[in-house]
Amino acid sequence: MNWKGILLVLSAPSGAGKTSLCQAAVKLIPRLMHSVSYTTRSPRDGEVHGRDYCFVDEQAFENMKREGEFIEWARVHGHLYGTSRKALHDIQKQGSDVILDIDAQGALKLMPLKELNAVFVFVVTPTFAELETRLRNRRSDPEEEIQLRLRKARDEIAQFEKYDYLLVNDDFDKALKDLASILTASRCSVKQVDHQWLEKEFIRE
């Protein structure tokens, strides 16, 4: 019996907690691996190359883009972000599921690609004021960038209906359990069944 690896795509405005949810989900949920995106922005305090992001300069990113190494890429808040095509395929070929945190631009590019076997989740805070509070509490961005991220957030949230699920990150532990439930339900979807196995074992005489 063969099972397809699921690509669990999380999008959210900056400050909603999608990266923290992804990291916690990988620790909590068996057979779930994190796809690490590439970016040209500088690491924030505590971020580690290869764990949080693969940090590269613009020339290296442009070279990868030209070689077709990204399944999607976008410029967000003045920085480039991209998802490795090979990394996704390698994980899914192992039969493992992949969790990927990308912005709405990137997610919209992935939605038409049915071969990815993807489930799309949009993460929000309970209020816009809470989102602004979390952004400011990070103390990692200048005021100009905070305002840019807040303006961008309204445009991103307006895309929520294109996603499969909306996850409100009010209580982190509850949001993490809800995310695990989404993946569990997706693993049990009829779309996940190996039809040849089912027909051979139960339908054909």
Side-chain angles (χ1 to χ4, degrees):
M1 180 173 62
N2 296 317
W3 298 95
K4 303 173 187 175
I6 293 169
L7 174 59
L8 187 61
V9 179
L10 264 67
S11 299
S14 294
K18 71 179 185 301
T19 302
S20 297
L21 282 170
C22 282
Q23 292 172 347
V26 169
K27 294 177 182 178
L28 175 70
I29 305 169
R31 286 196 305 111
L32 180 64
M33 300 178 68
H34 187 203
S35 175
V36 181
S37 299
Y38 285 77
T39 183
T40 59
R41 75 160 172 79
S42 300
R44 298 192 181 103
D45 288 345
E47 289 185 329
V48 177
H49 177 77
R51 184 195 68 187
D52 301 288
Y53 286 95
C54 292
F55 297 98
V56 296
D57 60 27
E58 290 228 5
Q59 185 59 57
F61 193 100
E62 290 294 339
N63 290 341
M64 294 178 70
K65 190 172 69 172
R66 188 167 51 252
E67 294 297 321
E69 294 185 34
F70 295 126
I71 198 166
E72 63 81 27
W73 66 271
R75 185 176 289 276
V76 184
H77 308 306
H79 306 292
L80 291 166
Y81 293 80
T83 302
S84 167
R85 186 187 308 273
K86 184 177 185 300
L88 286 186
H89 289 169
D90 285 352
I91 295 172
Q92 286 185 298
K93 278 196 302 185
Q94 298 172 16
S96 295
D97 300 320
V98 191
I99 191 166
L100 175 63
D101 57 302
I102 58 175
D103 74 301
Q105 279 188 74
L108 291 175
K109 290 178 181 178
L110 295 182
M111 285 178 185
L113 305 180
K114 302 303 181 186
E115 69 273 16
L116 291 179
N117 197 32
V119 177
F120 295 88
V121 181
F122 197 87
V123 181
V124 293
T125 50
T127 65
F128 195 80
E130 172 65 16
L131 181 66
E132 181 173 1
T133 297
R134 293 185 190 183
L135 273 175
R136 294 189 181 282
N137 286 345
R138 292 200 309 202
R139 303 184 187 282
S140 60
D141 300 312
E143 180 63 25
E144 182 180 351
E145 183 145 345
I146 289 173
Q147 292 300 323
L148 176 65
R149 290 175 184 271
L150 289 172
R151 289 194 298 272
K152 179 77 173 178
R154 294 191 186 277
D155 293 335
E156 291 174 325
I157 295 168
Q159 306 291 331
F160 80 94
E161 289 183 315
K162 297 175 181 177
Y163 287 72
D164 299 308
Y165 296 93
L166 182 71
L167 187 62
V168 180
N169 186 10
D170 186 2
D171 177 279
F172 184 83
D173 290 339
K174 181 180 182 303
L176 180 58
K177 289 179 182 177
D178 289 343
L179 181 60
S181 296
I182 289 170
L183 181 55
T184 297
S186 299
R187 285 173 172 175
C188 296
S189 169
V190 169
K191 293 188 297 183
Q192 291 301 109
V193 174
D194 181 341
H195 288 204
Q196 291 182 341
W197 160 75
L198 195 66
E199 290 176 3
K200 178 182 177 182
E201 291 295 330
F202 299 102
I203 298 175
R204 296 174 187 166
E205 296 184 0

PDB file of all heavy atoms in Angstrom, residues 139-156:
ATOM      1  N   ARG A 139      10.790  43.340  18.004  1.00  0.00           N
ATOM      2  CA  ARG A 139      11.883  44.319  18.129  1.00  0.00           C
ATOM      3  C   ARG A 139      13.030  44.023  17.164  1.00  0.00           C
ATOM      4  O   ARG A 139      14.205  44.196  17.492  1.00  0.00           O
ATOM      5  CB  ARG A 139      12.412  44.354  19.565  1.00  0.00           C
ATOM      6  CG  ARG A 139      11.339  44.678  20.602  1.00  0.00           C
ATOM      7  CD  ARG A 139      11.905  44.811  21.989  1.00  0.00           C
ATOM      8  NE  ARG A 139      10.855  44.968  22.989  1.00  0.00           N
ATOM      9  CZ  ARG A 139      10.198  46.100  23.233  1.00  0.00           C
ATOM     10  NH1 ARG A 139      10.491  47.195  22.560  1.00  0.00           N
ATOM     11  NH2 ARG A 139       9.259  46.149  24.165  1.00  0.00           N
ATOM     12  N   SER A 140      12.675  43.559  15.964  1.00  0.00           N
ATOM     13  CA  SER A 140      13.712  43.219  14.992  1.00  0.00           C
ATOM     14  C   SER A 140      13.622  44.063  13.728  1.00  0.00           C
ATOM     15  O   SER A 140      14.524  44.018  12.886  1.00  0.00           O
ATOM     16  CB  SER A 140      13.611  41.734  14.609  1.00  0.00           C
ATOM     17  OG  SER A 140      12.342  41.453  14.046  1.00  0.00           O
ATOM     18  N   ASP A 141      12.526  44.831  13.589  1.00  0.00           N
ATOM     19  CA  ASP A 141      12.317  45.585  12.365  1.00  0.00           C
ATOM     20  C   ASP A 141      12.165  47.073  12.664  1.00  0.00           C
ATOM     21  O   ASP A 141      11.543  47.451  13.667  1.00  0.00           O
ATOM     22  CB  ASP A 141      11.051  45.098  11.638  1.00  0.00           C
ATOM     23  CG  ASP A 141      11.123  43.633  11.261  1.00  0.00           C
ATOM     24  OD1 ASP A 141      12.157  43.222  10.701  1.00  0.00           O
ATOM     25  OD2 ASP A 141      10.152  42.899  11.530  1.00  0.00           O
ATOM     26  N   PRO A 142      12.681  47.948  11.799  1.00  0.00           N
ATOM     27  CA  PRO A 142      12.471  49.383  11.966  1.00  0.00           C
ATOM     28  C   PRO A 142      11.006  49.745  11.706  1.00  0.00           C
ATOM     29  O   PRO A 142      10.255  48.963  11.108  1.00  0.00           O
ATOM     30  CB  PRO A 142      13.393  50.001  10.918  1.00  0.00           C
ATOM     31  CG  PRO A 142      13.575  48.940   9.885  1.00  0.00           C
ATOM     32  CD  PRO A 142      13.517  47.636  10.628  1.00  0.00           C
ATOM     33  N   GLU A 143      10.607  50.923  12.140  1.00  0.00           N
ATOM     34  CA  GLU A 143       9.209  51.359  12.009  1.00  0.00           C
ATOM     35  C   GLU A 143       8.738  51.323  10.555  1.00  0.00           C
ATOM     36  O   GLU A 143       7.601  50.917  10.275  1.00  0.00           O
ATOM     37  CB  GLU A 143       9.049  52.769  12.578  1.00  0.00           C
ATOM     38  CG  GLU A 143       7.641  53.332  12.488  1.00  0.00           C
ATOM     39  CD  GLU A 143       6.623  52.527  13.300  1.00  0.00           C
ATOM     40  OE1 GLU A 143       7.027  51.854  14.278  1.00  0.00           O
ATOM     41  OE2 GLU A 143       5.421  52.570  12.958  1.00  0.00           O
ATOM     42  N   GLU A 144       9.590  51.737   9.642  1.00  0.00           N
ATOM     43  CA  GLU A 144       9.201  51.752   8.228  1.00  0.00           C
ATOM     44  C   GLU A 144       8.834  50.355   7.742  1.00  0.00           C
ATOM     45  O   GLU A 144       7.854  50.172   7.011  1.00  0.00           O
ATOM     46  CB  GLU A 144      10.357  52.307   7.386  1.00  0.00           C
ATOM     47  CG  GLU A 144      10.041  52.405   5.905  1.00  0.00           C
ATOM     48  CD  GLU A 144      11.203  52.967   5.109  1.00  0.00           C
ATOM     49  OE1 GLU A 144      12.183  53.443   5.725  1.00  0.00           O
ATOM     50  OE2 GLU A 144      11.140  52.922   3.860  1.00  0.00           O
ATOM     51  N   GLU A 145       9.607  49.353   8.166  1.00  0.00           N
ATOM     52  CA  GLU A 145       9.317  47.976   7.733  1.00  0.00           C
ATOM     53  C   GLU A 145       8.071  47.435   8.422  1.00  0.00           C
ATOM     54  O   GLU A 145       7.300  46.689   7.822  1.00  0.00           O
ATOM     55  CB  GLU A 145      10.509  47.060   8.002  1.00  0.00           C
ATOM     56  CG  GLU A 145      10.286  45.649   7.501  1.00  0.00           C
ATOM     57  CD  GLU A 145      11.546  44.986   6.976  1.00  0.00           C
ATOM     58  OE1 GLU A 145      12.530  45.682   6.726  1.00  0.00           O
ATOM     59  OE2 GLU A 145      11.501  43.751   6.823  1.00  0.00           O
ATOM     60  N   ILE A 146       7.849  47.801   9.677  1.00  0.00           N
ATOM     61  CA  ILE A 146       6.628  47.380  10.369  1.00  0.00           C
ATOM     62  C   ILE A 146       5.395  47.902   9.631  1.00  0.00           C
ATOM     63  O   ILE A 146       4.426  47.156   9.408  1.00  0.00           O
ATOM     64  CB  ILE A 146       6.635  47.871  11.830  1.00  0.00           C
ATOM     65  CG1 ILE A 146       7.673  47.093  12.649  1.00  0.00           C
ATOM     66  CG2 ILE A 146       5.244  47.707  12.467  1.00  0.00           C
ATOM     67  CD1 ILE A 146       7.861  47.612  14.056  1.00  0.00           C
ATOM     68  N   GLN A 147       5.429  49.174   9.240  1.00  0.00           N
ATOM     69  CA  GLN A 147       4.295  49.749   8.517  1.00  0.00           C
ATOM     70  C   GLN A 147       4.098  49.061   7.174  1.00  0.00           C
ATOM     71  O   GLN A 147       2.955  48.812   6.749  1.00  0.00           O
ATOM     72  CB  GLN A 147       4.510  51.251   8.320  1.00  0.00           C
ATOM     73  CG  GLN A 147       4.454  52.065   9.603  1.00  0.00           C
ATOM     74  CD  GLN A 147       3.108  51.927  10.317  1.00  0.00           C
ATOM     75  OE1 GLN A 147       2.057  51.840   9.679  1.00  0.00           O
ATOM     76  NE2 GLN A 147       3.151  51.911  11.648  1.00  0.00           N
ATOM     77  N   LEU A 148       5.194  48.723   6.500  1.00  0.00           N
ATOM     78  CA  LEU A 148       5.106  47.998   5.232  1.00  0.00           C
ATOM     79  C   LEU A 148       4.451  46.639   5.432  1.00  0.00           C
ATOM     80  O   LEU A 148       3.569  46.226   4.655  1.00  0.00           O
ATOM     81  CB  LEU A 148       6.501  47.833   4.634  1.00  0.00           C
ATOM     82  CG  LEU A 148       6.605  47.014   3.339  1.00  0.00           C
ATOM     83  CD1 LEU A 148       5.873  47.702   2.202  1.00  0.00           C
ATOM     84  CD2 LEU A 148       8.072  46.797   2.971  1.00  0.00           C
ATOM     85  N   ARG A 149       4.854  45.940   6.483  1.00  0.00           N
ATOM     86  CA  ARG A 149       4.305  44.616   6.761  1.00  0.00           C
ATOM     87  C   ARG A 149       2.822  44.684   7.129  1.00  0.00           C
ATOM     88  O   ARG A 149       2.035  43.806   6.756  1.00  0.00           O
ATOM     89  CB  ARG A 149       5.106  43.922   7.871  1.00  0.00           C
ATOM     90  CG  ARG A 149       6.513  43.519   7.434  1.00  0.00           C
ATOM     91  CD  ARG A 149       7.333  42.948   8.578  1.00  0.00           C
ATOM     92  NE  ARG A 149       8.700  42.656   8.160  1.00  0.00           N
ATOM     93  CZ  ARG A 149       9.101  41.507   7.635  1.00  0.00           C
ATOM     94  NH1 ARG A 149       8.227  40.522   7.486  1.00  0.00           N
ATOM     95  NH2 ARG A 149      10.349  41.331   7.275  1.00  0.00           N
ATOM     96  N   LEU A 150       2.423  45.708   7.839  1.00  0.00           N
ATOM     97  CA  LEU A 150       1.017  45.867   8.206  1.00  0.00           C
ATOM     98  C   LEU A 150       0.159  46.155   6.974  1.00  0.00           C
ATOM     99  O   LEU A 150      -0.957  45.617   6.842  1.00  0.00           O
ATOM    100  CB  LEU A 150       0.857  46.977   9.242  1.00  0.00           C
ATOM    101  CG  LEU A 150       1.392  46.657  10.637  1.00  0.00           C
ATOM    102  CD1 LEU A 150       1.351  47.890  11.532  1.00  0.00           C
ATOM    103  CD2 LEU A 150       0.592  45.520  11.283  1.00  0.00           C
ATOM    104  N   ARG A 151       0.653  46.987   6.076  1.00  0.00           N
ATOM    105  CA  ARG A 151      -0.097  47.253   4.837  1.00  0.00           C
ATOM    106  C   ARG A 151      -0.213  45.982   4.002  1.00  0.00           C
ATOM    107  O   ARG A 151      -1.270  45.678   3.444  1.00  0.00           O
ATOM    108  CB  ARG A 151       0.584  48.356   4.029  1.00  0.00           C
ATOM    109  CG  ARG A 151       0.471  49.745   4.648  1.00  0.00           C
ATOM    110  CD  ARG A 151       0.861  50.830   3.657  1.00  0.00           C
ATOM    111  NE  ARG A 151       2.241  50.714   3.213  1.00  0.00           N
ATOM    112  CZ  ARG A 151       3.269  51.280   3.841  1.00  0.00           C
ATOM    113  NH1 ARG A 151       3.070  51.998   4.946  1.00  0.00           N
ATOM    114  NH2 ARG A 151       4.501  51.135   3.374  1.00  0.00           N
ATOM    115  N   LYS A 152       0.891  45.242   3.936  1.00  0.00           N
ATOM    116  CA  LYS A 152       0.896  43.991   3.181  1.00  0.00           C
ATOM    117  C   LYS A 152      -0.065  42.968   3.798  1.00  0.00           C
ATOM    118  O   LYS A 152      -0.709  42.190   3.095  1.00  0.00           O
ATOM    119  CB  LYS A 152       2.319  43.434   3.164  1.00  0.00           C
ATOM    120  CG  LYS A 152       2.506  42.116   2.442  1.00  0.00           C
ATOM    121  CD  LYS A 152       2.514  42.296   0.960  1.00  0.00           C
ATOM    122  CE  LYS A 152       2.880  41.005   0.258  1.00  0.00           C
ATOM    123  NZ  LYS A 152       2.839  41.143  -1.212  1.00  0.00           N
ATOM    124  N   ALA A 153      -0.185  42.987   5.129  1.00  0.00           N
ATOM    125  CA  ALA A 153      -1.027  42.016   5.828  1.00  0.00           C
ATOM    126  C   ALA A 153      -2.471  42.080   5.362  1.00  0.00           C
ATOM    127  O   ALA A 153      -3.125  41.048   5.176  1.00  0.00           O
ATOM    128  CB  ALA A 153      -0.947  42.242   7.334  1.00  0.00           C
ATOM    129  N   ARG A 154      -2.993  43.282   5.161  1.00  0.00           N
ATOM    130  CA  ARG A 154      -4.396  43.416   4.731  1.00  0.00           C
ATOM    131  C   ARG A 154      -4.600  42.790   3.356  1.00  0.00           C
ATOM    132  O   ARG A 154      -5.617  42.126   3.117  1.00  0.00           O
ATOM    133  CB  ARG A 154      -4.799  44.880   4.728  1.00  0.00           C
ATOM    134  CG  ARG A 154      -4.825  45.510   6.119  1.00  0.00           C
ATOM    135  CD  ARG A 154      -5.491  46.872   6.109  1.00  0.00           C
ATOM    136  NE  ARG A 154      -5.399  47.521   7.402  1.00  0.00           N
ATOM    137  CZ  ARG A 154      -6.229  47.292   8.422  1.00  0.00           C
ATOM    138  NH1 ARG A 154      -7.207  46.407   8.284  1.00  0.00           N
ATOM    139  NH2 ARG A 154      -6.090  47.929   9.582  1.00  0.00           N
ATOM    140  N   ASP A 155      -3.641  42.966   2.466  1.00  0.00           N
ATOM    141  CA  ASP A 155      -3.751  42.354   1.133  1.00  0.00           C
ATOM    142  C   ASP A 155      -3.669  40.837   1.218  1.00  0.00           C
ATOM    143  O   ASP A 155      -4.393  40.127   0.510  1.00  0.00           O
ATOM    144  CB  ASP A 155      -2.627  42.872   0.225  1.00  0.00           C
ATOM    145  CG  ASP A 155      -2.760  44.353  -0.090  1.00  0.00           C
ATOM    146  OD1 ASP A 155      -3.896  44.867  -0.037  1.00  0.00           O
ATOM    147  OD2 ASP A 155      -1.738  44.997  -0.369  1.00  0.00           O
ATOM    148  N   GLU A 156      -2.793  40.339   2.086  1.00  0.00           N
ATOM    149  CA  GLU A 156      -2.635  38.892   2.214  1.00  0.00           C
ATOM    150  C   GLU A 156      -3.886  38.250   2.816  1.00  0.00           C
ATOM    151  O   GLU A 156      -4.353  37.203   2.339  1.00  0.00           O
ATOM    152  CB  GLU A 156      -1.419  38.584   3.090  1.00  0.00           C
ATOM    153  CG  GLU A 156      -0.091  38.931   2.430  1.00  0.00           C
ATOM    154  CD  GLU A 156       1.088  38.745   3.360  1.00  0.00           C
ATOM    155  OE1 GLU A 156       0.947  38.989   4.570  1.00  0.00           O
ATOM    156  OE2 GLU A 156       2.154  38.356   2.869  1.00  0.00           O
TER     157      GLU A 156
END
